[in-house]
Amino acid sequence: MDNVWLTVFGFALIFLATTLGAALVFFFKKDLSPKANTIFLGFAGGIMIAASVWSLLLPAIESSQDYGNWKFVPAVIGLLLGALFMVVIDKLVPHFHKGTGEEEGLHSSLSKPKKMFLAMTIHNVPEGLAVGFAFGGAALIGTNEAFLAALGLSIGIAIQNFPEGAAVALPMVGQLNSKHKAFLYGALSGIVEPIAAIIGYFLASALASAMPWLLAFAAGAMLFVVVEDLIPDAHLESHPHLGTWSIVIGFALMMVLDVALG
């Protein structure tokens, strides 16, 4: 496949996976069970942790050879800035965490379904940026191998987007009393990913020297989402073994994808 179309496919794939996950509302009669919720969110968390390390932080360090013994600096600072970016977003955007029942962001009269929708939309921003940075970096390198590595990240994000789409849409059914509206909310929560990917792609292409910083920035934002939202919402304390193994399996799968394609 031509590298341009490979990039388009990688961007579309992450949105399509969210949409397919949201479509589960038409096959489930009720919300996810607590065990299924733990498995889904734990698995997604494991993939994001592995993607942050294998697909973002390690390449950031490897591409910082000009810094000599200080080549860890872009990765460390970028990581912290990415996490800080998500803190700012958390403080500004009104949203609701279903798992903890906590509301964050500026005061707003938005309904609970809309705040739940915004919570998952926030999650998807760093994932889209990560995919965009990966393909932008591949465009700078220009090899098929680099594009395949970026595709591996896109596939990993898409795999974890499937349960995330379901995790958004299924609880919405009870709130909205409509499966079609719940599906629409779930699907639209993923539209921010290809948008963020396009932004990330052009940033990476235009700022080649900043590539290590950008990769680490995406990793920091993704790790923040995992620790701040996915793990608490998974309620690992209720099903510790299920949750732990879900995270481990998700991590292992993303690691395999990265090594096999990268």
Side-chain angles (χ1 to χ4, degrees):
M1 186 183 295
D2 181 84
N3 288 335
V4 173
W5 286 108
L6 201 63
T7 302
V8 172
F9 174 73
F11 289 0
L13 182 63
I14 52 180
F15 172 63
L16 178 62
T18 303
T19 302
L20 290 175
L24 289 181
V25 295
F26 300 115
F27 303 96
F28 281 68
K29 293 184 178 180
K30 55 184 180 179
D31 196 356
L32 290 175
S33 69
K35 287 185 177 181
N37 184 67
T38 297
I39 292 172
F40 274 22
L41 294 182
F43 182 74
I47 285 181
M48 289 178 70
I49 293 170
S52 298
V53 176
W54 291 89
S55 300
L56 299 171
L57 287 175
L58 290 181
I61 294 172
E62 290 171 2
S63 58
S64 301
Q65 299 301 323
D66 291 344
Y67 288 83
N69 291 334
W70 296 89
K71 60 184 178 181
F72 60 85
V73 170
V76 171
I77 295 179
L79 180 81
L80 296 176
L81 288 176
L84 183 61
F85 170 75
M86 292 308 299
V87 170
V88 173
I89 294 296
D90 261 359
K91 298 296 183 184
L92 293 179
V93 180
H95 58 284
F96 175 81
H97 297 282
K98 176 178 177 286
T100 61
E102 181 184 5
E103 291 196 29
E104 292 185 305
L106 297 174
H107 177 72
S108 171
S109 59
L110 290 173
S111 63
K112 185 179 290 186
K114 289 180 179 178
K115 289 183 178 179
M116 290 169 63
F117 163 78
L118 286 174
M120 192 55 71
T121 301
I122 291 170
H123 290 183
N124 291 334
V125 171
E127 297 168 18
L129 285 175
V131 172
F133 291 154
F135 276 101
L140 291 173
I141 298 171
T143 65
N144 290 334
E145 290 76 13
F147 278 95
L148 285 175
L151 180 62
L153 174 61
S154 180
I155 292 172
I157 296 295
I159 290 172
Q160 66 96 33
N161 275 353
F162 181 82
E164 278 193 355
V168 176
L170 287 170
M172 291 282 191
V173 176
Q175 297 285 337
L176 300 170
N177 294 316
S178 169
K179 289 188 175 182
H180 289 89
K181 288 183 179 179
F183 165 73
L184 188 61
Y185 269 88
L188 288 179
S189 72
I191 195 65
V192 70
E193 287 201 19
I195 294 173
I198 292 171
I199 294 171
Y201 178 87
F202 285 108
L203 277 175
S205 300
L207 304 171
S209 60
M211 195 64 201
W213 306 78
L214 295 175
L215 291 172
F217 179 91
M222 287 175 63
L223 287 174
F224 182 90
V225 167
V226 172
V227 177
E228 173 80 0
D229 297 323
L230 292 185
I231 289 178
D233 288 356
H235 295 299
L236 299 185
E237 70 279 1
S238 300
H239 307 286
H241 294 298
L242 275 178
T244 300
W245 276 109
S246 297
I247 292 173
V248 170
I249 291 171
F251 187 99
L253 176 61
M254 186 65 235
M255 182 172 62
V256 168
L257 281 172
D258 187 86
V259 174
L261 295 177

